[in-house]
Amino acid sequence: MQTLISEALALVGERWSLLVVRELSLGRRRFDEIQAATGAPRAVLADRLRRLTAAGICATRTYQPPGSRSRREYVLTDAGVDLLPLLAAFVDWGERHLGPDAVRDIEYRHLACGGHVTAQLVCECGQLVSPRDQLVAQINP
Amino acid sequence: MQTLISEALALVGERWSLLVVRELSLGRRRFDEIQAATGAPRAVLADRLRRLTAAGICATRTYQPPGSRSRREYVLTDAGVDLLPLLAAFVDWGERHLGPDAVRDIEYRHLACGGHVTAQLVCECGQLVSPRDQLVAQINP
DNA sequence: CAGTATCCGGTGCGATACTG
DNA sequence: CAGTATCGCACCGGATACTG
């Protein structure tokens, strides 16, 4: 049975996929730029970009800078941007529970006020929900 | 360079790890119970439980039900419970962007009001932050 | 600059069967 | 009930070199 989590993991759970999304979210758009930042092997990176594109998480576009030859660039689609809460949740968890040897990848800030942004559980009633003592998990019927 | 995201992915990015956490969050505690619910091969499941335990995400305990022999059970630690926003983010993303063929794994509800709970970006100023147009991502200095 | 083409080693993972 | 023990394949991923 394919569940949401297992399907989503199949798309972005591989080793480099989310790191590619992270780079794209930072505004890096070109192959070599992403390759250098992540250290992913070129063949693997090409494959991940293909899969992310096929999944509608990023889109590719060819453009022509004046005076040089055409280039290709990758940008996140809306579906890709919607992965940012997931990345933020990874970072938040890592910061709290991994040793200080791990480098903080990325910092999310609120455009309006510049404040630090984290991923939180929020109820439709508007309240923040602590996973420790205010949350109920149930199987979907 | 080890970043928070890549380290966290190394711990819980494998195929069955987050599914095991999901089962534990539903209150399933025993090996066979988790095995049946996920369908993971027994050897793989044993390894994942070992790794999750070593990482401090779950803990194992032996207890003695009256009248039967001793059993072992697994429970999420606080670090494991702190993964639930991550799971919620997966579910939210999948529900929005995967086809209707995928089954919703799990439903999170607010203990106080019973309302539906989702993972959202929240600024320290208290406002919800849309990833589409209110978020700035920057590399950490 | 943006990939492909090979080659190859490690291992994740599935299936099955066996123990305490 | 809770795992180990084996086996084998597919595939991920690293290195290197080559093309448009």
Side-chain angles (χ1 to χ4, degrees), chain A residues 29-38 42 45 49 74:
Chain A
R29 322 187 140 208
R30 298 211 308 285
F31 188 93
D32 277 16
E33 199 176 16
I34 298 168
Q35 197 280 323
T38 60
R42 306 179 71 79
L45 178 58
L49 284 169
Y74 297 90

Side-chain angles (χ1 to χ4, degrees), chain A residues 12-19 48, chain B residues 6 9:
Chain A
V12 298
E14 288 154 311
R15 183 159 185 185
W16 300 103
S17 300
L18 281 178
L19 297 179
R48 291 303 171 273
Chain B
S6 62
L9 276 174

Side-chain angles (χ1 to χ4, degrees), chain B residues 14-16 41-44 48 69:
Chain B
E14 289 154 310
R15 183 157 187 188
W16 300 104
R42 304 179 72 80
V44 176
R48 289 305 170 274
R69 73 172 187 284

